[in-house]
Amino acid sequence: MDIYVVGVSMTPFGKFPEMSVKDLTRVAVNDALKDAGCEQSDIQAAFFAQTTQGVLQDQVFLPGPIALTAMGFQDIPMLTVENACGSGSTAFWEGINYLRSGAADVVLAVGAEKMNVGDQTKSLSIFEGGWDIECKEESLKTMLALGEGLEIPEGTTSKTPYSRFMDVYASFARYHMKHYGLTQHQIAAVCSKNHKHSVHNPRSFFHKEFSIEAVLGSRPIVYPLTLPMCAPVTDGGAAAILCTESALDQYGFDKSRAVKVYSCVLQSGRIAPYDTTETSVTARCARKAYEMAGGAPEDIDVAEVHDATAAARLEKAVSGRSEAIRQSAAGFPSILPVAWNRRVIRLALQDWDRFLSWSANFAENAACARWKERESLFRKTAVA
């Protein structure tokens, strides 16, 4: 059964102390409904991706139904999806397969996260739940060992608090430096490219260009990573409206804007030695997606490749065989931040909006003007 994306939305990303998860959800969902040209009552099921609210705000149970009920949804299945970094993609995948089961014609996939709660230590603590807590020290030791054998220059570790996951990402990067010749300069080049594109993206957290030299000269986190190479924590939301092919006519959706989902793959990793080649989860998942879509890497024109650091994004691009593909100008990963539950929803929506709604080739002053206009509207809408 063919499934289509008929409406999308994405809020700006940043620090919004006046906004709650409910506010972010409402803005994202209402904009997606408007984009699709449908009503809230047309939605027959909702899949809500949420990862951090239980830790940061004590909303442990039912964050999805609570946020969606607050904006008027009722009498439909409303499921909260938590799958760490893959939560957004899992909500999207759940929506697709719910439609394919024949249980509904139109569904909503949405994610909203409020990671800035006025306590940086508490915000960073959420990542401590991102691995098996019964053996996390052993796991950390194993992952840090991957980066051994490469001298860490003096003064390249931050003196201010940061997530231990940055130690892990840095270790992975040093592994690549040791085994494949990756350089810190190359990682900085990826980061510089992302920041250069960010000034054209009104939804990005940051809107400032960094030269390679500026990236390398920025405050260190842990070698080889510097601050601009790492994604910040953020507040924001994103949503997508999905439907079956028969629903395109039944609900009057604009077929010229409907985007067919050729493949959507969800796959877990393996308990095995660290590998970034053909047996990595990224490579295996990419091959399955290509097979499902009936295509190959050379058929892809634009790839959104995301992770929490510039070094990890480079690894994912190679593993997914997108190194020869023209990378999108969205400014990932260090511009749009870590937002676990929205990640793949956001990735899908970024290029939808880019190709259907606005050009990526803004002049810098136009981009800044549009960002200020959108942010002002966003804040007014949120508190209305």
Side-chain angles (χ1 to χ4, degrees):
M1 178 187 293
D2 291 335
I3 305 300
Y4 292 83
V5 181
V6 292
V8 296
S9 72
M10 183 167 63
T11 73
F13 291 82
K15 296 181 180 180
F16 304 115
E18 74 279 16
M19 298 192 67
S20 66
V21 169
K22 292 177 181 178
D23 294 327
L24 295 164
T25 300
R26 177 165 49 82
V27 173
V29 172
N30 283 339
D31 284 354
L33 292 170
K34 181 178 179 181
D35 189 56
C38 66
E39 302 296 329
Q40 189 178 108
S41 58
D42 295 329
I43 303 299
Q44 298 163 12
F47 300 89
F48 186 96
Q50 231 294 329
T51 301
T52 66
Q53 197 179 10
V55 175
L56 298 180
Q57 297 179 306
D58 297 325
Q59 186 64 66
V60 178
F61 300 131
L62 304 173
I66 287 171
L68 291 169
T69 299
M71 61 172 297
F73 282 96
Q74 59 184 0
D75 297 331
I76 64 169
M78 293 184 281
L79 306 182
T80 300
V81 177
E82 191 285 308
N83 198 16
C85 299
S87 295
S89 59
T90 303
F92 194 79
W93 183 84
E94 291 275 15
I96 289 170
N97 286 285
Y98 192 78
L99 291 171
R100 285 177 174 160
S101 75
D105 298 309
V106 184
V107 302
L108 166 71
V110 57
E113 203 84 87
K114 185 173 183 62
M115 301 176 75
N116 291 289
V117 292
D119 184 339
Q120 184 184 27
T121 300
K122 188 174 184 179
S123 292
L124 292 177
S125 73
I126 61 174
F127 300 103
E128 291 299 311
W131 44 23
D132 187 340
I133 61 172
E134 293 184 356
C135 56
K136 63 181 181 181
E137 297 303 326
E138 179 183 347
S139 297
L140 179 62
K141 182 179 179 180
T142 298
M143 288 185 281
L144 293 183
L146 293 170
E148 293 177 352
L150 193 71
E151 183 179 354
I152 299 178
E154 185 177 353
T156 59
T157 300
S158 175
K159 295 180 180 180
T160 58
Y162 62 90
S163 167
R164 289 201 293 179
F165 268 81
M166 289 299 106
D167 286 321
V168 174
Y169 277 113
S171 181
F172 290 165
R174 294 195 298 273
Y175 176 92
H176 279 262
M177 295 169 79
K178 182 174 60 176
H179 290 277
Y180 303 113
L182 179 68
T183 68
Q184 189 187 34
H185 189 277
Q186 290 171 326
I187 300 172
V190 172
C191 178
S192 176
K193 180 270 298 179
N194 290 340
H195 280 280
K196 182 177 181 179
H197 293 318
S198 75
V199 298
H200 306 304
N201 186 346
R203 296 183 179 90
S204 293
F205 194 115
F206 301 120
H207 299 86
K208 178 182 177 181
E209 289 194 40
F210 282 80
S211 66
I212 294 175
E213 292 71 24
V215 173
L216 293 171
S218 296
R219 178 165 67 86
I221 300 301
V222 54
Y223 185 78
L225 303 177
T226 64
L227 184 62
M229 297 179 185
C230 305
V233 296
T234 189
D235 309 331
I241 309 295
L242 307 170
C243 77
T244 60
E245 186 171 20
S246 62
L248 291 174
D249 289 324
Q250 182 180 350
Y251 290 83
F253 293 123
D254 185 350
K255 292 184 179 180
S256 68
R257 299 182 72 251
V259 175
K260 181 179 177 180
V261 179
Y262 282 88
S263 64
C264 182
V265 176
L266 183 66
Q267 191 160 335
S268 62
R270 297 172 176 173
I271 299 177
Y274 179 67
D275 181 21
T276 61
T277 57
E278 295 299 323
T279 60
S280 72
V281 64
T282 305
R284 290 185 287 111
C285 198
R287 285 197 298 271
K288 189 172 181 180
Y290 289 131
E291 180 181 356
M292 183 181 295
E298 55 267 26
D299 298 319
I300 306 299
D301 295 315
V302 177
E304 291 286 2
V305 183
H306 182 84
D307 213 310
T309 70
R313 171 244 182 246
L314 189 60
E315 172 204 324
K316 297 298 187 297
V318 174
S319 297
R321 290 296 181 267
S322 62
E323 65 272 25
I325 300 171
R326 176 177 59 84
Q327 297 297 313
S328 166
F332 294 120
S334 48
I335 308 304
L336 286 178
V338 169
W340 284 354
N341 63 331
R342 301 183 307 279
R343 182 167 295 170
V344 172
I345 293 178
R346 184 185 63 220
L347 300 189
L349 309 197
Q350 186 66 47
D351 279 333
W352 166 294
D353 187 57
R354 186 175 313 284
F355 293 127
L356 294 184
S357 303
W358 53 276
S359 167
N361 297 317
F362 287 125
E364 181 174 357
N365 58 348
C368 291
R370 179 161 184 173
W371 159 249
K372 292 178 181 178
E373 178 185 355
R374 286 186 62 88
E375 182 181 33
S376 175
L377 178 61
F378 172 62
R379 291 179 182 271
K380 288 178 182 178
T381 302
V383 300

